[in-house]
Amino acid sequence: MQLSTQNNRHLDRFGRPYLFALPNVKLQNYIDDDVAKIFAVDDDSPTTTSSSSSTSWWSQTLHPTIRRVRDQILVLAQTPAANHDDDHRDSSPTTSLYPRHWILQTNQSTAANHPTHRQIEKNPSSGNPHGHTTTTTTTTTPASKTAFAVAQFNTLAKGLSSGPSSLVPTPFPPIANEDDAARTTSYGGFTSLLRPDIVLDFDRVRKWRLLETVLGGGIAVEGRDGDDDSDDGSRRHPFPAFDIVALQEVDEFHSFFEPILIGNNHHRDEDHDPKKDDDDDTKTKDDDRSSPSSHPRHYRGVFQPKPNSPCVRWGWYSDGVALLWNADKFRTVSRCQSPTTTTMTTTTTSEATTSSTGTTTNSDDAMPGKESTPLQHCDPWIEIGAFSNNDDDLPVQNQVYVIVPLQIIPSSSSSSSIRDNIVVVATTHLKAKEGTENERIRTSQALELRRKVENVANELRTLGWEDVSIILLGDWNAEPEDASVRSILERRGNGGLEMDNDVGIGDKGMKWDFHSAYPLDDENGDDENNHFYTTWKTRKDGTKRRVIDYIFYSSARSNDGNGRRGALVTGADEVGLSCTHTLSVPKDEEVEATRLPGLRYPSDHLLIAAKFEI
């Protein structure tokens, strides 16, 4: 399965180039006009990739754009019945993102024995949704450890939430059947929104709010200067806030998220150079994508579209999952690399463009190891694809995954042992809709993903990486008590969960135990109205508040307690990967009466996040 890169490029209804792959994958091969304007720079401007330049770019270029969009949203919010009825309107409507803060987790050794429950400081009078202390801590990470933050976010695809084609023209003719027709004419079924044409306007409003959310907008940090443009004047976390970001329902990756967050052109049709083809009538100004690649960025990343996205059926581009990582903290590794080899992982434009239905972008070089051996050139270790159908009774599956082993780059103050740490990060979006049959499919997919990441982790150990951890991020479309979630959290062996094809690679093979970063019960809530949730939306079948998005993790470190390599330690043990903070969810009284999405939040899912130390 190859993406088309022929000279006679495919063009959508608006004359924009796109890439096509069978059976029905369609990906943008252009940059949005408003994004291209951000990158307009004088020819004499120096180009640099230094960290300071990157920080300057976020603050001086991107943040003003987000601020302008926020001002525009404020104007829209003052439109009669924008998203407020007479009982909820305010003469000065609040349009900033819901305030969030980091919650300190304590007593990790106790929590390690309870995969679904984490011990956290209590403060019943704080009024926050977990009943936890609202300390936005300034904890210091020991020199022997590295800290990083991860985020999980279902963005709500443009193709699953736009209005009827009579109001919002689609780039392709819809091929949806009659059962799908109602959804395409009702803004994704979000019937409670009073002005969905404003709230769900992806190009003018929602994509910029999504970007603000992904970068950490609304997160309060004490003692630091950040985004002080919030309505209450409080300081917010400086952009970007997360080191690893997992996204689902992304159908505007190449035209919007990639040029801003990653800034490379690897998926571009290299066989067609618009600069050398001035007579091409199909050329648009968006075809010249050289400027974005010259700007420093924070992230590298991978995108994997669905083989048969419902967005395509309704006339839009394919949606899929994306995984991004901070290039200053993590780098990819390869199968020909070990802690004692010096390797360089590389990728070519062809490989990045034509990898089945997926796109790997801007992969980075592997960090040199502790010993110098002959330099090798190896492809980055990235596993992408759709779930297989191992059960003859299950229908063909359309859900996808991304798995990337990431090596932690030690800081100047970190212990030398940090260079041996690998975190296998994976993201997915499991089968949607409730029901016994769909839960059976989700459980099969969850078990397959678990097998795959454990395979990768164990293979890394055979290559000499002793300190290996796993983080799973995704939209499970299932609640904590459902089988697909339990298939991750239940212990394996000794009377616990058993799976076919259990992985064991020599004496390095092991069975991994996973934990949830967030508490998955109501024990930590103030009351029934203030418990953890990840989605809260109203559609024609009613209002539902659920937990279906997760951050799971597992860790293994070979250490016998006396500094000697030996016994394996698994789970949330202090010598391996430990979760130190989780991101709060908005309080009930803060959420708009129409719930999610709204003017104050761009998706029907909350971004959830956790901080880890290793």
Side-chain angles (χ1 to χ4, degrees):
M1 186 182 301
Q2 300 290 312
L3 291 170
S4 171
T5 57
Q6 300 175 4
N7 285 344
N8 54 337
R9 297 166 303 160
H10 302 283
L11 300 177
D12 66 16
R13 281 176 163 179
F14 306 114
R16 302 172 304 194
Y18 71 94
L19 303 178
F20 175 75
L22 295 175
N24 209 16
V25 175
K26 297 177 180 178
L27 305 177
Q28 299 93 346
N29 196 26
Y30 64 88
I31 292 177
D32 290 346
D33 287 345
D34 49 1
V35 174
K37 291 178 181 178
I38 295 179
F39 301 111
V41 294
D42 294 333
D43 293 337
D44 295 334
S45 299
T47 299
T48 178
T49 58
S50 67
S51 298
S52 60
S53 176
S54 177
T55 301
S56 176
W57 186 84
W58 292 113
S59 61
Q60 296 179 15
T61 303
L62 189 59
H63 185 263
T65 300
I66 291 177
R67 186 189 298 117
R68 286 194 298 272
V69 173
R70 190 182 301 160
D71 292 341
Q72 175 179 302
I73 294 172
L74 182 60
V75 173
L76 293 172
Q78 294 170 337
T79 303
N83 196 38
H84 310 268
D85 56 29
D86 292 337
D87 295 332
H88 295 92
R89 276 192 63 79
D90 191 317
S91 58
S92 300
T94 298
T95 59
S96 63
L97 292 173
Y98 296 129
R100 315 284 292 274
H101 59 268
W102 292 106
I103 299 171
L104 175 67
Q105 299 201 35
T106 60
N107 198 8
Q108 296 173 10
S109 61
T110 301
N113 297 320
H114 304 281
T116 63
H117 178 70
R118 300 285 292 163
Q119 299 294 321
I120 306 175
E121 285 187 307
K122 290 274 195 171
N123 183 358
S125 63
S126 65
N128 74 62
H130 290 115
H132 309 148
T133 56
T134 59
T135 54
T136 50
T137 59
T138 56
T139 55
T140 302
T141 301
S144 61
K145 290 181 176 291
T146 292
F148 58 93
V150 306
Q152 152 60 30
F153 190 30
N154 181 320
T155 65
L156 178 60
K158 177 182 181 180
L160 300 180
S161 59
S162 293
S165 57
S166 59
L167 296 177
V168 187
T170 60
F172 307 101
I175 55 176
N177 56 39
E178 293 182 0
D179 294 335
D180 294 327
R183 180 144 189 189
T184 64
T185 58
S186 61
Y187 293 94
F190 293 103
T191 56
S192 69
L193 299 177
L194 302 179
R195 287 295 302 274
D197 56 317
I198 293 176
V199 174
L200 297 176
D201 186 330
F202 189 87
D203 292 312
R204 284 196 304 165
V205 176
R206 204 162 68 81
K207 70 181 183 182
W208 296 104
R209 303 243 76 181
L210 288 171
L211 179 64
E212 184 179 6
T213 303
V214 167
L215 293 175
I219 302 177
V221 177
E222 291 182 352
R224 294 182 63 180
D225 289 337
D227 173 11
D228 59 358
D229 292 322
S230 57
D231 290 343
D232 59 6
S234 62
R235 293 287 181 179
R236 299 301 180 199
H237 202 293
F239 294 159
F242 309 112
D243 300 301
I244 295 174
V245 180
L247 304 174
Q248 300 83 41
E249 282 194 27
V250 182
D251 58 350
E252 295 283 328
F253 182 77
H254 295 309
S255 60
F256 182 70
F257 289 105
E258 182 191 33
I260 290 179
L261 296 174
I262 299 174
N264 82 67
N265 305 338
H266 278 199
H267 63 279
R268 179 181 175 176
D269 181 356
E270 295 295 332
D271 292 335
H272 178 81
D273 187 348
K275 291 183 177 180
K276 298 178 181 178
D277 192 4
D278 293 334
D279 296 329
D280 185 357
D281 293 335
T282 64
K283 183 184 70 174
T284 68
K285 63 181 178 180
D286 288 338
D287 287 336
D288 183 359
R289 297 164 38 132
S290 58
S291 293
S293 64
S294 66
H295 285 266
R297 293 298 184 279
H298 191 73
Y299 295 107
R300 303 290 183 266
V302 182
F303 174 70
Q304 171 67 14
K306 295 176 182 176
N308 281 291
S309 169
C311 298
V312 174
R313 294 203 305 272
W314 300 328
W316 298 94
Y317 282 98
S318 300
D319 79 300
V321 302
L323 186 65
L324 312 176
W325 57 90
N326 178 351
D328 293 328
K329 282 196 174 182
F330 298 97
R331 64 183 70 217
T332 56
V333 298
S334 67
R335 279 188 165 89
C336 61
Q337 179 185 1
S338 73
T340 59
T341 61
T342 301
T343 67
M344 180 177 295
T345 56
T346 61
T347 184
T348 67
T349 299
S350 174
E351 289 165 341
T353 302
T354 63
S355 56
S356 297
T357 59
T359 310
T360 62
T361 60
N362 211 13
S363 297
D364 40 4
D365 294 342
M367 188 186 73
K370 292 180 290 187
E371 298 179 11
S372 178
T373 58
L375 187 69
Q376 305 175 61
H377 292 271
C378 303
D379 292 334
W381 191 341
I382 295 174
E383 299 192 8
I384 55 178
F387 289 107
S388 61
N389 185 0
N390 296 323
D391 189 332
D392 293 337
D393 295 331
L394 292 177
V396 176
Q397 299 180 31
N398 190 39
Q399 287 66 46
V400 295
Y401 61 85
V402 170
I403 304 172
V404 184
L406 295 172
Q407 182 183 11
I408 296 176
I409 302 173
S411 64
S412 57
S413 60
S414 299
S415 167
S416 61
S417 63
I418 293 295
R419 73 174 61 234
D420 292 342
N421 277 296
I422 294 282
V423 182
V424 180
V425 186
T427 186
T428 190
H429 187 186
L430 301 187
K431 176 70 175 176
K433 297 183 180 180
E434 300 177 58
T436 301
E437 181 65 12
N438 286 334
E439 180 58 22
R440 182 186 172 199
I441 295 174
R442 283 190 289 270
T443 302
S444 172
Q445 294 171 342
L447 289 173
E448 182 177 345
L449 181 64
R450 181 171 180 172
R451 283 193 295 266
K452 288 180 180 295
V453 296
E454 289 181 357
N455 268 330
V456 172
N458 284 332
E459 186 174 347
L460 283 162
R461 291 179 57 78
T462 67
L463 294 174
W465 300 99
E466 296 278 357
D467 300 336
V468 182
S469 303
I470 301 173
I471 296 179
L472 303 180
L473 306 152
D475 177 355
W476 249 242
N477 273 312
E479 299 192 64
E481 64 273 14
D482 291 331
S484 57
V485 177
R486 301 308 311 173
S487 69
I488 301 296
L489 290 173
E490 286 184 359
R491 293 179 179 274
R492 298 178 58 186
N494 299 323
L497 178 70
E498 292 291 348
M499 300 190 297
D500 294 336
N501 302 320
D502 275 351
V503 179
I505 305 178
D507 59 359
K508 297 290 185 179
M510 61 172 295
K511 297 179 179 180
W512 300 73
D513 293 328
F514 287 87
H515 305 264
S516 171
Y518 280 85
L520 298 182
D521 53 36
D522 293 335
E523 186 175 333
N524 284 329
D526 286 333
D527 51 51
E528 292 183 356
N529 295 320
N530 274 329
H531 63 273
F532 175 58
Y533 63 97
T534 67
T535 182
W536 192 4
K537 56 191 172 186
T538 299
R539 281 178 168 157
K540 62 181 180 181
D541 54 349
T543 300
K544 294 183 179 180
R545 173 174 173 156
R546 307 171 68 202
V547 175
I548 59 176
D549 303 273
Y550 301 93
I551 300 174
F552 301 121
Y553 66 102
S554 184
S555 184
R557 184 169 184 174
S558 185
N559 196 311
D560 65 359
N562 296 313
R564 296 187 299 271
R565 301 280 175 171
L568 293 176
V569 181
T570 65
D573 194 284
E574 292 181 358
V575 301
L577 186 68
S578 60
C579 180
T580 62
H581 298 75
T582 54
L583 189 64
S584 69
V585 300
K587 293 183 286 188
D588 286 12
E589 59 269 24
E590 293 172 335
V591 180
E592 293 176 273
T594 55
R595 306 313 178 197
L596 306 175
L599 283 173
R600 296 194 63 189
Y601 208 77
S603 176
D604 57 340
H605 290 245
L606 291 174
L607 179 147
I608 60 174
K611 288 184 178 181
F612 290 94
E613 284 185 358
I614 190 169

